[in-house]
Amino acid sequence: MNEILEQTPVAPLEAPVAPLDATQGGMDEKIVNNVIIRIAGDGGEGVRTTGEFLGIVLGRLGLEIFKTESLPAEIKGGPSMFQLRAGETKPKSQGSYLDILVCFNDEVYQIHKADLKPNGVLIYDSDCQVDDTNENALKFEVPFTDIAKKEAGGARAKNMVALGAIAGLLHVDTDVVDHLIHQKFDRKGEKIVEANLLGLRLGREAVSHMTGEVPFRIERRASKEGLIMGGNDAVALGAIAAGIGVFAGYPITPASTILEKLAALMPRFGGKVIQAEDEIASLGMVLGASYAGLKAATSTSGPGVSLMIEEIGLASMAEIPCVIFDAQRGGPSTGLPTKQEQSDLNLAIYGGHGDAPRIVLAPANIQDCFDMTIEAFNLSEMCQMPTLFLTDFYLANAGELIPEPDLDSYEIINRARPTAEQLQNYKRFELTETGVSPMAKPFDDATFYIATGLEHNERGNPDISPAAHRKMSDKRHQKLQVAVDYAERKGTFARHYGDANSDIGFLTWGSTEGAMQEAIDLAAQQGLSASQLHVLLMNPLPERAIREFLQNKKTVVVAELNYTGQFAQRLRAALNIPVDSFTKCTGQPFTPYELLQQIMFLHGWDTDKSDPVLSQVARVQHQRQVPAPMPGHDGQDEAMAGAVAVSRI
């Protein structure tokens, strides 16, 4: 496993970089190591490569990074964007508004122009029709396409020209970028390397006269050892760390790269990967492998889970451990294959006929994607039931710098096996105090048993009597308490943030955690308190943690990315607690700005009071500022009330 983790390191580069003069070009002050950049173009123009390379470079310069992307649903073409946030402290989310927007064509400019801060930096290709939306922005026309076609050997070099231009404007050390190009392309031959280096140089030259005007600069910091890892990669590596033996899957956006990653890695650890003909076959193979004694999993998205529902019921009835990774996307039906949504919660918890208990987990960040994948296998094996693991498009395609995991620190749990004495009179579905009964491994334990979808007795023989159905229903649901007890013992399945004494609370799940935390931090700078409980165990619910959180709350809001407020409905129904619902259903994640608005509203701020603060959040700010008095203090200019007291998102 360790050699796998070493495949994507952010290797420190030792050569120091002489810092540039902060006053170069007439700028009194630069914003150093704190920037949000979005690169936008069409699918096939190299937008992702530009962003990925820039992220690696900034990581090697010692910055914390967070990356995300939005892809077209088409195989080729269609608007695409890559967003990168870099700073000296760990970013919690993608941020709100953009410091720098790079547009490869006019179509994507029209899509993204409103997200640029009014006084941000716009870098655009010659065909972009820049309008009054960005009238106060610092604008640089860089003819990426013409340079690539006429000087760099073809249009495909546009992304390298753009990378060179961005690196030049941010004063990124040339050697760091060039070193990365050699790492990535040396195996393809000197001609390819030289072509890419030429594109970089031409991009730098195109902006060489502009660098003093840009208010941002990247400076080297002490390098941090770690891994730049995406959510799906973290899931795949977590599965290997948990001891997965068989993975079967069918490609579907945004889960496909889990299958691809495991197909490349699992054979090195003695595992088997199968690309099945569809999602039904995938889960069937997983259940067969698990019955045979191996840890097994599949990955899919909402449409695939819909197809798997009957087999999820079989896994629940036959008490067969399995893990199902659901990378959620916009729905229903085919829906929005490449956009963000958290709308599979009801499907994951309730999907299927009859009462079929299952465990549902939802990670919040890339670290969780690794850690909670191990816990998904632990809970599935411990409770002998299906576990659904809800990531989403945002997490699947996001990436950040995380510490290299200490594999020896993780608890790995395997299913209970029968003793020699128990095998003498083996009852696969023996009624026990916890509901968990030892699961024999056919052949190895010199026994076989029936694992049927029919109701059955302790030996697995069909039994549809009222007494049997009641006893076995009790047994299957008892095991959920095992999961609750484990979660309480670990204390890692619900996380608190913010002012615990605040009477305003937010309940969140999935990838919304980071944006909510940033909103709470921003509100605190205005003297507005709020607290957050982020839930990772969605079923069974961590009831004790939730009720403790609610004890001193007058207002509780559930913020989630679906139309109907599925988690809010779940809390009202399961725990009979009054919560308000704040939802977003646009195919995009929450921004800290949107959640800050909600905190202000709950504190009774009207628009006259909140707008000056919010407008400053959406503007580029220099780092060194003296906090202003709170809004409403005597002698303060109303239009700037609280403006500089809010740090830049």
Side-chain angles (χ1 to χ4, degrees):
M1 183 67 187
N2 283 316
E3 70 260 31
I4 299 302
L5 293 174
E6 290 167 4
Q7 288 190 342
T8 52
V10 180
L13 298 172
E14 300 300 334
V17 177
L20 296 172
D21 182 2
T23 61
Q24 180 181 353
M27 288 296 297
D28 295 329
E29 185 177 26
K30 296 278 189 180
I31 297 173
V32 179
N33 294 344
N34 195 357
V35 66
I36 301 173
I37 304 168
R38 181 179 295 173
I39 303 159
D42 282 343
E45 286 192 301
V47 169
R48 175 184 278 183
T49 300
T50 307
E52 292 282 6
F53 281 22
L54 184 61
I56 293 171
V57 167
L58 298 185
R60 289 180 175 181
L61 289 172
L63 298 188
E64 297 278 3
I65 68 162
F66 186 97
K67 63 185 181 74
T68 187
E69 58 187 316
S70 177
L71 308 173
E74 299 86 354
I75 294 174
K76 186 174 183 181
S80 174
M81 79 84 176
F82 189 103
Q83 187 160 317
L84 182 67
R85 186 178 186 185
E88 296 187 355
T89 57
K90 192 175 185 66
K92 295 184 174 78
S93 76
Q94 83 284 358
S96 295
Y97 290 95
L98 309 174
D99 296 311
I100 299 174
L101 173 61
V102 183
C103 294
F104 283 4
N105 59 60
D106 186 61
E107 180 187 10
V108 296
Y109 168 70
Q110 300 301 331
I111 292 171
H112 299 288
K113 63 184 180 181
D115 292 336
L116 181 64
K117 294 179 179 179
N119 56 341
V121 178
L122 174 63
I123 307 168
Y124 58 96
D125 208 340
S126 304
D127 73 334
C128 294
Q129 304 299 311
V130 178
D131 57 34
D132 291 345
T133 305
N134 308 113
E135 117 180 85
N136 295 319
L138 197 59
K139 295 181 279 289
F140 301 111
E141 180 180 329
V142 182
F144 302 126
T145 304
D146 284 349
I147 293 173
K149 286 181 176 179
K150 296 175 182 178
E151 302 179 57
R156 293 183 64 185
K158 179 193 288 191
N159 61 339
M160 287 297 111
V161 176
L163 179 60
I166 298 166
L169 289 171
L170 293 175
H171 306 283
V172 173
D173 180 23
T174 301
D175 292 341
V176 180
V177 188
D178 291 355
H179 178 70
L180 176 63
I181 295 300
H182 279 285
Q183 277 190 319
K184 294 292 185 180
F185 296 115
D186 272 354
R187 68 183 186 281
K188 295 187 176 182
E190 185 177 349
K191 187 175 180 180
I192 298 296
V193 171
E194 291 303 319
N196 282 281
L197 291 175
L198 175 61
L200 286 174
R201 180 174 59 78
L202 292 169
R204 291 190 202 101
E205 291 174 355
V207 300
S208 59
H209 61 290
M210 311 171 187
T211 55
E213 301 175 56
V214 176
F216 303 99
R217 186 176 69 206
I218 299 301
E219 292 181 356
R220 186 189 297 272
R221 298 176 68 244
S223 296
K224 284 189 174 183
E225 295 289 345
L227 307 167
I228 295 179
M229 190 177 293
N232 281 353
D233 287 347
V235 166
L237 294 173
I240 292 173
I244 188 173
V246 170
F247 184 91
Y250 182 77
I252 184 172
T253 303
S256 297
T257 52
I258 299 174
L259 169 62
E260 294 166 7
K261 189 77 171 180
L262 287 172
L265 299 181
M266 276 183 61
R268 296 169 58 176
F269 299 91
K272 308 293 183 184
V273 175
I274 307 163
Q275 180 175 319
E277 63 266 32
D278 56 35
E279 290 87 351
I280 298 172
S282 298
L283 186 52
M285 293 173 183
V286 165
L287 297 183
S290 184
Y291 171 83
L294 299 174
K295 292 183 179 180
T298 186
S299 65
T300 188
S301 190
V305 177
S306 296
L307 293 171
M308 295 176 179
I309 287 299
E310 187 170 358
E311 287 180 320
I312 292 174
L314 172 60
S316 186
M317 173 66 90
E319 302 186 41
I320 299 176
C322 63
V323 176
I324 301 163
F325 299 110
D326 174 8
Q328 300 169 92
R329 65 192 209 184
S333 188
T334 306
L336 293 77
T338 60
K339 302 301 176 187
Q340 166 73 353
E341 207 162 274
Q342 296 175 307
S343 54
D344 290 357
L345 184 61
N346 285 344
L347 175 66
I349 296 173
Y350 305 116
H353 58 281
D355 295 312
R358 76 286 304 267
I359 293 162
V360 181
L361 294 172
N365 52 48
I366 307 304
Q367 186 69 56
D368 282 348
C369 285
F370 185 88
D371 296 345
M372 287 292 150
T373 290
I374 295 174
E375 296 291 24
F377 280 95
N378 285 346
L379 286 165
S380 184
E381 292 284 309
M382 186 191 320
C383 300
Q384 298 176 15
M385 66 171 64
T387 295
L388 285 88
F389 191 85
L390 303 183
T391 68
D392 50 43
F393 182 87
Y394 179 80
L395 273 182
N397 291 280
E400 60 183 316
L401 182 65
I402 66 170
E404 183 173 331
D406 176 8
L407 299 179
D408 292 333
S409 68
Y410 289 90
E411 180 180 8
I412 304 298
I413 296 173
N414 298 309
R415 66 193 63 174
R417 295 275 293 277
T419 64
E421 183 179 352
Q422 288 170 322
L423 286 171
Q424 297 302 313
N425 184 29
Y426 183 54
K427 297 177 180 178
R428 166 63 188 97
F429 302 101
E430 184 176 4
L431 299 176
T432 66
E433 184 177 345
T434 63
V436 178
S437 44
M439 186 175 181
K441 182 177 180 181
F443 186 76
D444 282 14
D445 290 328
T447 188
F448 293 86
Y449 63 89
I450 299 171
T452 176
L454 289 169
E455 190 58 281
H456 46 263
N457 60 21
E458 291 182 85
R459 295 188 185 279
N461 298 320
D463 186 343
I464 60 171
S465 67
H469 186 45
R470 180 53 191 261
K471 287 178 181 178
M472 287 298 159
S473 294
D474 287 343
K475 177 187 189 303
R476 289 187 289 270
H477 284 82
Q478 267 182 290
K479 296 185 294 179
L480 291 173
Q481 187 60 45
V482 175
V484 170
D485 293 343
Y486 178 76
E488 290 182 353
R489 174 173 69 83
K490 297 281 282 195
T492 54
F493 290 84
R495 293 195 284 253
H496 294 261
Y497 194 82
D499 181 359
N501 296 317
S502 176
D503 60 6
I504 293 175
F506 286 84
L507 281 161
T508 55
W509 68 282
S511 56
T512 298
E513 181 186 40
M516 188 73 249
Q517 290 180 351
E518 288 196 43
I520 290 172
D521 291 343
L522 289 163
Q525 293 173 30
Q526 293 298 307
L528 304 178
S529 66
S531 61
Q532 175 190 18
L533 181 69
H534 188 81
V535 180
L536 294 97
L537 180 61
M538 309 304 294
N539 192 65
L541 288 168
E543 182 174 354
R544 179 180 298 177
I546 293 171
R547 292 200 183 279
E548 287 176 356
F549 175 74
L550 297 174
Q551 282 179 354
N552 64 336
K553 302 294 181 285
K554 293 180 180 178
T555 303
V556 179
V557 178
V558 179
E560 54 186 319
L561 297 169
N562 55 65
Y563 188 81
T564 57
Q566 294 181 19
F567 188 38
Q569 291 179 7
R570 167 108 172 108
L571 292 168
R572 294 185 196 114
L575 303 183
N576 192 28
I577 56 176
V579 295
D580 295 326
S581 182
F582 176 51
T583 64
K584 180 179 180 180
C585 186
T586 63
Q588 300 168 315
F590 279 120
T591 66
Y593 180 97
E594 293 167 327
L595 296 167
L596 174 60
Q597 283 181 304
Q598 285 299 305
I599 297 174
M600 289 177 166
F601 171 77
L602 293 172
H603 277 279
W605 280 33
D606 58 22
T607 54
D608 289 341
K609 199 173 185 181
S610 63
D611 278 359
V613 177
L614 292 168
S615 66
Q616 189 64 19
V617 170
R619 296 183 69 81
V620 172
Q621 298 177 44
H622 294 298
Q623 286 181 319
R624 300 181 187 90
Q625 294 177 322
V626 179
M630 285 295 296
H633 285 210
D634 292 340
Q636 186 179 12
D637 181 357
E638 189 73 20
M640 289 300 292
V644 293
V646 179
S647 67
R648 185 177 62 83
I649 294 186

